[in-house]
Amino acid sequence: MEFPIAGVTVDPIALMVIGFIVGVLGGFFGVGGGFLAAPFMFWIGVPMNFVVGTDLAHMTGKSIVAFKRHRALGHVDMKLGALMILGTMVGVEIGAQVIEHLEARQSVDMVIGIIYIVILALVTMFTAYEAVRSLRMMQSDQIDVKDVIGFQGIAKRISSIRIPPMISFPASGIKEISVWMVVGVGLFTGVLSGMLGVGGGFVRMPMLVYVLGIPTHVAVGTDLFEIIFSAGYGTLTHAIKGNVDIIMALAMHTGAAIGAQIGAVSTQYFTGPRIRLFFSFLPLIGILMVVLRLTGVIAV
Amino acid sequence: MPDKTEKDQTQVPFGELLRNFVIELIVYGILIAIYFYVALRFLANPLAALFGNNLAAYAVISLGLIVVQAVFLEFVTSLLFDYLGLHRLSSRPGKH
């Protein structure tokens, strides 16, 4: 089918299939899935300058579908999400400024690529280690609960920092925490997103769990709530620059909508540690994509 | 920290769930094919013209379209989930 905005002919079924796959991942793990969708979009013939913007547009729609399902399941903390958005938005701008500063120097792509690989490798190792530990705890102690976190040291220290104003998040089971810690997590993940372009969900979901002590299911749903705004903002800015083919995004989204529903509903079948264990493999795909890009095998 | 699961009240046979899931995919696929070839083909040329003339308006309309489609498809998929009994998945707590 011809897409007149991008001026190319692309198979709409392929777009729907890509949308479906990243939709399932997004609904289940609370990530945008740009790391996976972008190379595949480029591979099926979407022009490079339309890949990121179009992916962000479809991501906005997919996150709305998954968010609504998670909300119906009681997996979204709106108050937490709204507060984190503030930090994320500021962080994204700071990250973009850092990139602009670094671009004055040579081999910025290599430096950022290596930072990205190191961060994702740390996320993978830590999440896998902690999830296995939690699963063992659940088995050995015969605990019949939905979520156990095997490593609570950081979250306990963070909650003991009492810089006013303090705030409670009943939907996440947090009695009291400093507003600045929540904004700080948003800011940190925002800076990484702004610097690395993609990958906010990779870092945000584990940080919500391990740093703020949010239950995994709520972290997934709340992350999706945040992605609606960050991807929506990205869609606007990219569209103004002429980098969004909205017909392509709508086509992708028809697959993503059903995938996101399936992913979101599937979280009901798994405990928090199991979701985190599956999640720990996800950054490895991101690492592979960056390595392929740095070595010139793929262009996106 | 841990939140207690509810007791599993609803046991849905896996075969029934799988059958309903396949039906959902087929029904959804047909609906999407109709939507795709009627609505999206109809929208393509006016949007391409807007893309060429006014990028700011195109950006706002693009965001509006993806949000409207998301709300609409969420409604359709939820309706199908409920109609075909797949909503019962939602009442099953995580056990794995």
PDB file of all heavy atoms in Angstrom, chain A residues 41-62:
ATOM      1  N   MET A  41      10.925  -1.340  11.392  1.00  0.00           N
ATOM      2  CA  MET A  41      10.255  -0.387  10.502  1.00  0.00           C
ATOM      3  C   MET A  41      11.184  -0.002   9.354  1.00  0.00           C
ATOM      4  O   MET A  41      10.785   0.063   8.194  1.00  0.00           O
ATOM      5  CB  MET A  41       9.829   0.864  11.281  1.00  0.00           C
ATOM      6  CG  MET A  41       8.629   0.643  12.193  1.00  0.00           C
ATOM      7  SD  MET A  41       8.380   2.033  13.296  1.00  0.00           S
ATOM      8  CE  MET A  41       7.701   3.239  12.164  1.00  0.00           C
ATOM      9  N   PHE A  42      12.432   0.249   9.704  1.00  0.00           N
ATOM     10  CA  PHE A  42      13.420   0.627   8.686  1.00  0.00           C
ATOM     11  C   PHE A  42      13.628  -0.537   7.715  1.00  0.00           C
ATOM     12  O   PHE A  42      13.717  -0.348   6.502  1.00  0.00           O
ATOM     13  CB  PHE A  42      14.738   1.005   9.370  1.00  0.00           C
ATOM     14  CG  PHE A  42      15.781   1.487   8.414  1.00  0.00           C
ATOM     15  CD1 PHE A  42      15.625   2.673   7.718  1.00  0.00           C
ATOM     16  CD2 PHE A  42      16.924   0.742   8.188  1.00  0.00           C
ATOM     17  CE1 PHE A  42      16.593   3.109   6.820  1.00  0.00           C
ATOM     18  CE2 PHE A  42      17.891   1.174   7.299  1.00  0.00           C
ATOM     19  CZ  PHE A  42      17.726   2.363   6.617  1.00  0.00           C
ATOM     20  N   TRP A  43      13.646  -1.725   8.263  1.00  0.00           N
ATOM     21  CA  TRP A  43      13.886  -2.932   7.474  1.00  0.00           C
ATOM     22  C   TRP A  43      12.783  -3.164   6.428  1.00  0.00           C
ATOM     23  O   TRP A  43      13.066  -3.612   5.309  1.00  0.00           O
ATOM     24  CB  TRP A  43      13.989  -4.120   8.425  1.00  0.00           C
ATOM     25  CG  TRP A  43      14.340  -5.423   7.786  1.00  0.00           C
ATOM     26  CD1 TRP A  43      15.409  -5.681   6.974  1.00  0.00           C
ATOM     27  CD2 TRP A  43      13.627  -6.647   7.912  1.00  0.00           C
ATOM     28  NE1 TRP A  43      15.396  -6.991   6.587  1.00  0.00           N
ATOM     29  CE2 TRP A  43      14.322  -7.614   7.147  1.00  0.00           C
ATOM     30  CE3 TRP A  43      12.475  -7.039   8.599  1.00  0.00           C
ATOM     31  CZ2 TRP A  43      13.897  -8.933   7.046  1.00  0.00           C
ATOM     32  CZ3 TRP A  43      12.064  -8.355   8.506  1.00  0.00           C
ATOM     33  CH2 TRP A  43      12.764  -9.277   7.741  1.00  0.00           C
ATOM     34  N   ILE A  44      11.515  -2.842   6.791  1.00  0.00           N
ATOM     35  CA  ILE A  44      10.421  -3.077   5.825  1.00  0.00           C
ATOM     36  C   ILE A  44      10.236  -1.896   4.868  1.00  0.00           C
ATOM     37  O   ILE A  44       9.333  -1.906   4.046  1.00  0.00           O
ATOM     38  CB  ILE A  44       9.075  -3.413   6.521  1.00  0.00           C
ATOM     39  CG1 ILE A  44       8.579  -2.242   7.379  1.00  0.00           C
ATOM     40  CG2 ILE A  44       9.174  -4.686   7.321  1.00  0.00           C
ATOM     41  CD1 ILE A  44       7.121  -2.390   7.809  1.00  0.00           C
ATOM     42  N   GLY A  45      11.053  -0.867   5.012  1.00  0.00           N
ATOM     43  CA  GLY A  45      11.056   0.188   4.001  1.00  0.00           C
ATOM     44  C   GLY A  45      10.588   1.561   4.446  1.00  0.00           C
ATOM     45  O   GLY A  45      10.422   2.457   3.607  1.00  0.00           O
ATOM     46  N   VAL A  46      10.371   1.754   5.754  1.00  0.00           N
ATOM     47  CA  VAL A  46       9.979   3.091   6.234  1.00  0.00           C
ATOM     48  C   VAL A  46      11.234   3.978   6.190  1.00  0.00           C
ATOM     49  O   VAL A  46      12.291   3.582   6.702  1.00  0.00           O
ATOM     50  CB  VAL A  46       9.431   3.023   7.682  1.00  0.00           C
ATOM     51  CG1 VAL A  46       9.054   4.418   8.186  1.00  0.00           C
ATOM     52  CG2 VAL A  46       8.228   2.083   7.757  1.00  0.00           C
ATOM     53  N   PRO A  47      11.132   5.162   5.556  1.00  0.00           N
ATOM     54  CA  PRO A  47      12.317   6.023   5.469  1.00  0.00           C
ATOM     55  C   PRO A  47      12.853   6.389   6.853  1.00  0.00           C
ATOM     56  O   PRO A  47      12.080   6.581   7.792  1.00  0.00           O
ATOM     57  CB  PRO A  47      11.802   7.272   4.742  1.00  0.00           C
ATOM     58  CG  PRO A  47      10.554   6.842   4.082  1.00  0.00           C
ATOM     59  CD  PRO A  47       9.964   5.755   4.907  1.00  0.00           C
ATOM     60  N   MET A  48      14.171   6.483   6.941  1.00  0.00           N
ATOM     61  CA  MET A  48      14.852   6.724   8.216  1.00  0.00           C
ATOM     62  C   MET A  48      14.265   7.929   8.965  1.00  0.00           C
ATOM     63  O   MET A  48      14.045   7.867  10.174  1.00  0.00           O
ATOM     64  CB  MET A  48      16.331   6.965   7.959  1.00  0.00           C
ATOM     65  CG  MET A  48      17.114   7.207   9.210  1.00  0.00           C
ATOM     66  SD  MET A  48      18.171   5.869   9.612  1.00  0.00           S
ATOM     67  CE  MET A  48      19.571   6.158   8.566  1.00  0.00           C
ATOM     68  N   ASN A  49      14.019   9.039   8.237  1.00  0.00           N
ATOM     69  CA  ASN A  49      13.556  10.250   8.929  1.00  0.00           C
ATOM     70  C   ASN A  49      12.126  10.115   9.463  1.00  0.00           C
ATOM     71  O   ASN A  49      11.692  10.900  10.292  1.00  0.00           O
ATOM     72  CB  ASN A  49      13.662  11.475   8.005  1.00  0.00           C
ATOM     73  CG  ASN A  49      12.892  11.315   6.720  1.00  0.00           C
ATOM     74  OD1 ASN A  49      12.887  10.241   6.145  1.00  0.00           O
ATOM     75  ND2 ASN A  49      12.232  12.353   6.274  1.00  0.00           N
ATOM     76  N   PHE A  50      11.393   9.102   8.998  1.00  0.00           N
ATOM     77  CA  PHE A  50      10.022   8.897   9.494  1.00  0.00           C
ATOM     78  C   PHE A  50       9.952   7.823  10.586  1.00  0.00           C
ATOM     79  O   PHE A  50       8.910   7.680  11.216  1.00  0.00           O
ATOM     80  CB  PHE A  50       9.093   8.491   8.339  1.00  0.00           C
ATOM     81  CG  PHE A  50       8.632   9.658   7.514  1.00  0.00           C
ATOM     82  CD1 PHE A  50       9.312  10.025   6.367  1.00  0.00           C
ATOM     83  CD2 PHE A  50       7.521  10.405   7.890  1.00  0.00           C
ATOM     84  CE1 PHE A  50       8.897  11.105   5.604  1.00  0.00           C
ATOM     85  CE2 PHE A  50       7.105  11.492   7.139  1.00  0.00           C
ATOM     86  CZ  PHE A  50       7.795  11.847   5.989  1.00  0.00           C
ATOM     87  N   VAL A  51      11.032   7.090  10.783  1.00  0.00           N
ATOM     88  CA  VAL A  51      10.970   5.933  11.694  1.00  0.00           C
ATOM     89  C   VAL A  51      10.657   6.363  13.138  1.00  0.00           C
ATOM     90  O   VAL A  51       9.676   5.897  13.737  1.00  0.00           O
ATOM     91  CB  VAL A  51      12.287   5.116  11.637  1.00  0.00           C
ATOM     92  CG1 VAL A  51      12.381   4.157  12.806  1.00  0.00           C
ATOM     93  CG2 VAL A  51      12.363   4.331  10.334  1.00  0.00           C
ATOM     94  N   VAL A  52      11.463   7.249  13.692  1.00  0.00           N
ATOM     95  CA  VAL A  52      11.330   7.587  15.117  1.00  0.00           C
ATOM     96  C   VAL A  52       9.991   8.293  15.406  1.00  0.00           C
ATOM     97  O   VAL A  52       9.260   7.919  16.324  1.00  0.00           O
ATOM     98  CB  VAL A  52      12.522   8.453  15.590  1.00  0.00           C
ATOM     99  CG1 VAL A  52      12.340   8.880  17.044  1.00  0.00           C
ATOM    100  CG2 VAL A  52      13.819   7.675  15.456  1.00  0.00           C
ATOM    101  N   GLY A  53       9.657   9.310  14.609  1.00  0.00           N
ATOM    102  CA  GLY A  53       8.425  10.066  14.836  1.00  0.00           C
ATOM    103  C   GLY A  53       7.181   9.212  14.690  1.00  0.00           C
ATOM    104  O   GLY A  53       6.257   9.277  15.517  1.00  0.00           O
ATOM    105  N   THR A  54       7.165   8.367  13.649  1.00  0.00           N
ATOM    106  CA  THR A  54       6.002   7.500  13.418  1.00  0.00           C
ATOM    107  C   THR A  54       5.870   6.465  14.533  1.00  0.00           C
ATOM    108  O   THR A  54       4.765   6.170  14.998  1.00  0.00           O
ATOM    109  CB  THR A  54       6.142   6.807  12.041  1.00  0.00           C
ATOM    110  OG1 THR A  54       6.328   7.821  11.045  1.00  0.00           O
ATOM    111  CG2 THR A  54       4.915   5.992  11.699  1.00  0.00           C
ATOM    112  N   ASP A  55       7.006   5.953  14.974  1.00  0.00           N
ATOM    113  CA  ASP A  55       6.995   4.990  16.074  1.00  0.00           C
ATOM    114  C   ASP A  55       6.455   5.647  17.354  1.00  0.00           C
ATOM    115  O   ASP A  55       5.667   5.047  18.087  1.00  0.00           O
ATOM    116  CB  ASP A  55       8.419   4.462  16.293  1.00  0.00           C
ATOM    117  CG  ASP A  55       8.468   3.393  17.371  1.00  0.00           C
ATOM    118  OD1 ASP A  55       7.493   2.624  17.481  1.00  0.00           O
ATOM    119  OD2 ASP A  55       9.456   3.321  18.104  1.00  0.00           O
ATOM    120  N   LEU A  56       6.869   6.879  17.603  1.00  0.00           N
ATOM    121  CA  LEU A  56       6.375   7.592  18.799  1.00  0.00           C
ATOM    122  C   LEU A  56       4.861   7.799  18.735  1.00  0.00           C
ATOM    123  O   LEU A  56       4.167   7.671  19.741  1.00  0.00           O
ATOM    124  CB  LEU A  56       7.075   8.952  18.927  1.00  0.00           C
ATOM    125  CG  LEU A  56       8.473   8.931  19.543  1.00  0.00           C
ATOM    126  CD1 LEU A  56       9.152  10.278  19.361  1.00  0.00           C
ATOM    127  CD2 LEU A  56       8.417   8.573  21.020  1.00  0.00           C
ATOM    128  N   ALA A  57       4.364   8.106  17.533  1.00  0.00           N
ATOM    129  CA  ALA A  57       2.916   8.323  17.381  1.00  0.00           C
ATOM    130  C   ALA A  57       2.148   7.039  17.695  1.00  0.00           C
ATOM    131  O   ALA A  57       1.161   7.057  18.443  1.00  0.00           O
ATOM    132  CB  ALA A  57       2.613   8.798  15.967  1.00  0.00           C
ATOM    133  N   HIS A  58       2.627   5.915  17.153  1.00  0.00           N
ATOM    134  CA  HIS A  58       1.928   4.646  17.413  1.00  0.00           C
ATOM    135  C   HIS A  58       2.063   4.254  18.888  1.00  0.00           C
ATOM    136  O   HIS A  58       1.157   3.712  19.499  1.00  0.00           O
ATOM    137  CB  HIS A  58       2.449   3.557  16.465  1.00  0.00           C
ATOM    138  CG  HIS A  58       3.036   2.386  17.142  1.00  0.00           C
ATOM    139  ND1 HIS A  58       4.364   2.348  17.523  1.00  0.00           N
ATOM    140  CD2 HIS A  58       2.493   1.209  17.560  1.00  0.00           C
ATOM    141  CE1 HIS A  58       4.595   1.202  18.131  1.00  0.00           C
ATOM    142  NE2 HIS A  58       3.492   0.497  18.167  1.00  0.00           N
ATOM    143  N   MET A  59       3.235   4.611  19.475  1.00  0.00           N
ATOM    144  CA  MET A  59       3.495   4.316  20.888  1.00  0.00           C
ATOM    145  C   MET A  59       2.499   5.054  21.799  1.00  0.00           C
ATOM    146  O   MET A  59       2.055   4.521  22.816  1.00  0.00           O
ATOM    147  CB  MET A  59       4.919   4.774  21.217  1.00  0.00           C
ATOM    148  CG  MET A  59       5.616   3.990  22.289  1.00  0.00           C
ATOM    149  SD  MET A  59       7.225   4.740  22.611  1.00  0.00           S
ATOM    150  CE  MET A  59       8.207   4.121  21.284  1.00  0.00           C
ATOM    151  N   THR A  60       2.154   6.275  21.414  1.00  0.00           N
ATOM    152  CA  THR A  60       1.182   7.059  22.198  1.00  0.00           C
ATOM    153  C   THR A  60      -0.144   6.308  22.257  1.00  0.00           C
ATOM    154  O   THR A  60      -0.721   6.117  23.338  1.00  0.00           O
ATOM    155  CB  THR A  60       0.947   8.446  21.542  1.00  0.00           C
ATOM    156  OG1 THR A  60       2.208   9.066  21.320  1.00  0.00           O
ATOM    157  CG2 THR A  60       0.083   9.336  22.405  1.00  0.00           C
ATOM    158  N   GLY A  61      -0.607   5.873  21.086  1.00  0.00           N
ATOM    159  CA  GLY A  61      -1.885   5.158  21.031  1.00  0.00           C
ATOM    160  C   GLY A  61      -1.836   3.843  21.772  1.00  0.00           C
ATOM    161  O   GLY A  61      -2.749   3.505  22.541  1.00  0.00           O
ATOM    162  N   LYS A  62      -0.755   3.099  21.574  1.00  0.00           N
ATOM    163  CA  LYS A  62      -0.620   1.790  22.225  1.00  0.00           C
ATOM    164  C   LYS A  62      -0.619   1.932  23.745  1.00  0.00           C
ATOM    165  O   LYS A  62      -1.244   1.149  24.456  1.00  0.00           O
ATOM    166  CB  LYS A  62       0.686   1.156  21.761  1.00  0.00           C
ATOM    167  CG  LYS A  62       1.008  -0.151  22.419  1.00  0.00           C
ATOM    168  CD  LYS A  62       2.427  -0.544  22.156  1.00  0.00           C
ATOM    169  CE  LYS A  62       3.379   0.320  22.964  1.00  0.00           C
ATOM    170  NZ  LYS A  62       4.796   0.013  22.686  1.00  0.00           N
TER     171      LYS A  62
END
